[in-house]
Amino acid sequence: MKAITQYCKDRGIKPFRYQREAWKAFIDGESGLIHAPTGFGKTLAAWLGPVQGWIDQNPDYRDKLKERDGAEAIRKASNKKVSKRTVRDASAPLQVLWITPLRALANDTVKALNAPVEHLRLPWSVELRTGDVSQSRKQAQRRRLPTALVTTPESLTLLLSYPEAQEKFATLQAVIVDEWHELIATKRGVQAELALARLRAWHPALSIWGLSATLGNLEEARDVLLGARSHDGRLIAGPKQKKIEIVTLYPEDITRFPWSGHLGDKLVKQLAAQIDTAQSTLLFTNTRSQAEIWHQALIRERPDWLDKIGLHHGSLEREIRQKVEALLDAGALKCVVCTSSMDLGVDFAPVEQVVQLGSPKGIARLMQRAGRSGHQPGATSRIICVPTHSFELAEFAAARDALKRKLVEAKTPLQKPLDVLVQHLVTIGTGGGFDEAALKDEVRTAWAYRDLTDEEWRWAMAFVLHGGESLRAYPQFQRVTRDDAARLAVTNKQIERIHRMNIGTISADSAMRVRMQNGKSLGTIEESFISRLSPGDVFTFAGRVLELKRVREMTAYVAPAKRKRGIVPRWQGGRFPLSTHLGNAVRRQMAEVGQGHYALKELRELKPLFELQGRWSRIPAADELLIEQTVTREGMHWFIFPFEGRLVHEGLASLFAYRLTRAAPSTVQIAANDYGMELLSSSRQPIDAADWERMFSEENLTDELLACVNETQMARRQFRDIARVAGLIFQGYPGQQKATRQLQASSELFFDVFREYDPENLLLKQSHREVLEQQLEFKRLAAALDRMRDSKRVLVSSQQLSPLAFPLWAERLRAQHVSSETWAERVKRMADQLERAASQRPSPAKARKMQRSATGR
Amino acid sequence: MDVTFANNSVTLYPERGAYLPELQTLLVADTHFGKASVFGRAGIPVPQTTTDGTLRRIDSMLVRSGARRLLILGDLWHGRVLDDDPVVARLAAWREQWRDLSVELVTGNHDRHMPRAADALQATDHGEVLREGGFEFRHDPAAFDDGSGFAGHLHPVIRMRDVGHTTLRLPCFHATNRVMVLPAVGAFTGGHCVRPKNGDQVYACADDEVIDVSCVCR
């Protein structure tokens, strides 16, 4: 390892032990997963191995270089022009594929990889290939790939869709998958698995290395990456995470009736003061809406910061985001309000402080975000947590507790999504065709498809060959066809073109572009939001207050508004659920408090709230399941608190509602948050002990959950992504839409048509399975139900909405209200009345009366 | 469900058609025949049996209303299909079953992809508009000047909030005081949400009944 050791010495880098270990393992021809926290040189750990490996194979490269320089000098002297192409073609042939999940990171990665290449004067070319790269560059790359190619899973798959792919990848030595933890639990990860399976089939000795942040299931993550037939993959651990210090920003007074997002506003002043203390601050929010709201709030608080506060989230136009990143790098911004779009980063300039707004909902996320402050190894990462409602203080306390116990969440890899397989079959079909048996074997080497049954394979093949299993139902269909030599290939040019345009698994439909009237694009907002607005309405987006002018062909044209405030768009799927670890930790804290132990400051601050909870209802002990029962004019409310995270509660609430209504016909409304769920029954029929047993029973669990899934919109929503991946609906490019207009149909329509006319379609079943596994977190749900059965059920008839119940009540109301303004009004009224009740300690009779007036419509 | 529209009695069917007793005519709009074929050729699998679904709906309404005439308010075809496409034979066979029925068509924007659109159903093609009984029958509701009548084209659906977190989307008849827009009868057709104005009538097709939801969705 002479060359790279020298490089490190020259550059003043002192390699970590894990880096040396990784280099040696690579040179020994091994594969594996390297995990280390951000800022500990994972990039170098993975990159210098292949560099040294190539130098070992080409020890005389410097001499050759001299020769070439000599020849060039002669050519220069003779005034012959050297085309770029000649220089390019002189670089070493393809050695390394570097796969990164984020296009935004790819540029930085190229820079980082180039540093040692230039220093060692390697005749290597390091280039980017993503959706953003110019067409001419892509053409050049199709002719000859660079020595190292930095690309995304989508762009790699696209490369595989060309017939000459195998030949182009002939000299490939290593694949490095960056930020594997971001990919592993996604369909993009599965797409990468399939691409890797193909590359491995071509190069059995290929070295594959993944880079990951800390995960709860590192060994599994490694196995998924290396494929179903791997063994002896290495797991190389970097230094321990820097110490994380959680600092909480306390509101001046704790409201006893918190609801999401509204306590926070009061903290703007304190937050601004905190931001003022540092050169640069990253302010992480959990949703894009929240980022918009707080960006506005900070500017209102400090108008002089107008140009000093940036906004960064995934729906903003790329140029806008890049500008913010560059300004932050240059030290021109005081603060950037951002979402997880800024969670990752190769070499972002370290910021002085990191603020987490609201609960991080998971330990891994908190660690990652904290890691952005004080980037130098060894220093303490400090993260300032700002609650947006009172209970989040308890979540900060829980996070601290979980950190101490070194608990980190796992990311569950996906199991054989058929939509991705279907897309892959067509991709390989466009790439020159395939032999069925060989491809089946290859696909099964991908971890996600290791258990793919022959039946499922046949179904996927039938889907691309005939459109479906029943030939009768799909005549005229062609996508992949069988040629004389029994090879399967895509022969229709239009299908080929449309397919290439739609490779990928990221769903972006129903997004509407937002443009200024001069044509400048600001980003995208969901169509459903825009469709509720009329021209003249004012909303906030991209950190500006905008007036809607007109809507044309999926574009909303806007102009700066005169008003100072506008409504803020909501994006789907923005909210993270509380992770299992954090949920457990909250439950632990709760139990401690119930015993009168207020060990952490956050909990002490919440004392008045907990005391009220205890007075009006109960603080559940570790082995208790708290159920509050309240009667109001609306009907009978049950509030159940398992502390298992919103997704699980949503699933459980639907299940309970289903079981209740099947036992006795009535209307049951539901609401869920991270702590529990509300069931509201109009019938006021009490639930007795035997009923509860039945509600929590595991009997018919899967079937009944599936029945709920069918009755709700969940499967329909999930099917949207599946339809897009399986090639039923096109994303297309703007401008190209016209050509395919006759082929536009919504995923909902496909869902309905399949359900009625092809109910056995496996894509439908996949949507059910995905709802169960991903949306409802089935395993976690079943475990939660187990725990609920084993817990001591404590049923409290409370006369008031307790502090725990109130947010649920508000949450349900929100789902019913069209306008957030009238909702906020009503919730505030209710909170005020409860607050009065809490401070007056009224007699029970008076309390009942107050209850009625408080909930009356 | 019987309703009054422009002083005439009209029967609305949940299968998405409207019957005019005075003209003994069943109105349907936007059958979009051949859509599954067009998709299939482009490599997008759609069960071809959707054609049967559409025809079943029309059959049911013809039987119940006893209509002597079927008037299709445009977009009979979704796009161009070839003569040997199974859907052509399927329609011919259907026509054979309803030999005595008069089938008529006003043409829609999609029909321009299909030369001799009316042929497969041996239908009378009235071109863009048919005027009869004081009504105009057109494909595009925007093409009405002062006249009153029936149209299709928009595939209206109404979005309503269900209890809990869900919303329902139901195909609907959407009537202003002059023009009634019919929902698309085709089994493989989507819809566009309507935003009814004050005074509009909206009748939703919910499973096997038509429900007046005019007051709910304002």
Side-chain angles (χ1 to χ4, degrees), chain A residues 213 353 414 564 665 724 733:
Chain A
Q353 70 178 0
L414 302 185
K564 287 266 168 53
R724 179 256 178 278
Y733 294 132

Side-chain angles (χ1 to χ4, degrees), chain A residues 144-156:
Chain A
R144 188 172 192 275
L145 289 170
T147 319
L149 185 68
V150 178
T151 188
T152 58
E154 289 76 19
S155 291
L156 172 59

Side-chain angles (χ1 to χ4, degrees), chain A residues 549-712:
Chain A
K549 287 294 181 187
R550 66 204 161 96
V551 175
R552 231 179 51 196
E553 302 216 334
M554 294 306 277
T555 304
Y557 290 90
V558 297
K562 290 194 187 73
R563 297 220 319 256
K564 287 266 168 53
R565 278 170 189 255
I567 52 175
V568 178
R570 265 201 239 166
W571 284 269
Q572 290 261 334
R575 293 194 290 176
F576 306 115
L578 197 65
S579 77
T580 314
H581 287 325
L582 210 48
N584 288 340
V586 169
R587 206 162 43 229
R588 268 198 305 275
Q589 302 295 330
M590 202 63 91
E592 293 264 304
V593 164
Q595 307 223 310
H597 304 308
Y598 289 86
L600 294 165
K601 173 136 193 280
E602 283 89 353
L603 300 175
R604 284 197 293 280
E605 287 284 327
L606 282 176
K607 206 167 172 184
L609 190 150
F610 284 125
E611 279 174 354
L612 186 66
Q613 174 69 31
R615 206 164 80 217
W616 281 4
S617 166
R618 186 181 176 89
I619 299 169
D623 60 344
E624 285 178 351
L625 174 68
L626 172 65
I627 303 174
E628 294 176 7
Q629 180 179 310
T630 310
V631 185
T632 71
R633 265 188 200 177
E634 293 174 285
M636 178 88 91
H637 307 250
W638 291 281
F639 298 95
I640 310 173
F641 299 101
F643 297 93
E644 293 282 358
R646 187 171 44 83
L647 295 184
V648 167
H649 294 152
E650 262 172 20
L652 286 175
S654 324
L655 176 74
F656 296 160
Y658 177 82
R659 287 177 169 178
L660 271 179
T661 49
R662 260 203 351 177
S666 63
T667 308
V668 176
Q669 298 181 54
I670 58 170
N673 66 12
D674 276 325
Y675 296 172
M677 69 200 90
E678 177 192 7
L679 305 174
L680 167 60
S681 162
S682 51
S683 76
R684 294 169 195 241
Q685 189 75 36
I687 301 179
D688 63 25
D691 291 336
W692 284 114
E693 295 295 333
R694 269 195 296 280
M695 289 251 281
F696 297 161
S697 157
E698 62 184 333
E699 215 170 300
N700 294 330
L701 179 59
T702 316
D703 288 346
E704 292 188 356
L705 266 179
L706 272 175
C708 302
V709 165
N710 259 331
E711 277 175 23
T712 62

Side-chain angles (χ1 to χ4, degrees), chain A residues 249 267-285 294-295 297-299 301-302 304-305 308-310 328 333-338 351-357 382 384 386:
Chain A
L249 204 66
L267 280 166
V268 169
K269 248 188 192 34
Q270 273 172 277
L271 182 58
Q274 184 69 40
I275 290 171
D276 224 358
T277 63
Q279 281 290 327
S280 58
T281 302
L282 273 184
L283 174 60
F284 281 105
T285 65
W294 281 76
H295 179 256
L298 280 170
I299 287 175
E301 180 64 29
R302 297 288 300 263
D304 54 316
W305 283 357
K308 300 226 163 238
I309 302 185
L328 181 67
L333 290 180
K334 186 115 191 112
C335 172
V336 175
V337 185
C338 57
V351 290
E352 198 177 320
Q353 70 178 0
V354 173
V355 178
Q356 163 69 36
L357 192 75
R382 191 154 164 267
I384 296 154
V386 181

Side-chain angles (χ1 to χ4, degrees), chain A residues 77-133:
Chain A
S78 63
N79 246 347
K80 270 188 194 153
K81 274 208 178 129
V82 188
S83 74
K84 267 190 191 158
R85 183 169 170 170
T86 320
V87 174
R88 238 189 91 84
D89 288 356
S91 66
L94 178 70
Q95 303 287 315
V96 184
L97 263 181
W98 188 285
I99 302 172
T100 170
L102 274 185
R103 290 201 297 207
L105 294 186
N107 266 318
D108 294 339
T109 304
V110 169
K111 255 187 258 164
L113 302 187
N114 253 323
V117 166
E118 281 163 11
H119 184 88
L120 293 167
R121 295 205 62 211
L122 297 180
W124 280 31
S125 48
V126 182
E127 287 182 13
L128 198 64
R129 187 191 178 96
T130 65
D132 305 337
V133 169

Side-chain angles (χ1 to χ4, degrees), chain A residues 463 467 472-479 495 531-533 670 713 727-728 730 742-745 749-750 753-754 757 815, chain B residues 38-50 53 78-79 85-86 113 161 165-167 169 187-190 195:
Chain A
F463 186 83
R472 194 184 73 81
Y474 303 92
Q476 305 287 315
F477 178 85
Q478 51 170 300
R479 195 182 287 187
I495 290 175
S531 69
R532 289 208 309 270
L533 303 181
I670 58 170
Q713 300 287 309
L728 299 176
F730 302 139
Q742 269 194 20
L743 299 174
Q744 296 288 345
L749 180 55
F750 276 108
V753 165
F754 280 149
Y757 298 97
Chain B
V38 172
F39 273 60
R41 278 205 307 278
I44 306 165
V46 184
Q48 191 84 43
T49 40
T50 50
H78 180 71
D85 194 292
H113 299 292
R161 270 166 193 276
H165 293 262
T166 58
T167 55
R169 282 173 101 246
F188 183 43
T189 54
R195 303 171 101 192

Side-chain angles (χ1 to χ4, degrees), chain A residues 400-412:
Chain A
R400 186 171 287 156
D401 175 63
L403 261 184
K404 212 166 76 193
R405 293 166 190 258
K406 296 193 168 52
L407 297 171
V408 184
E409 290 88 11
K411 291 214 173 168
T412 315

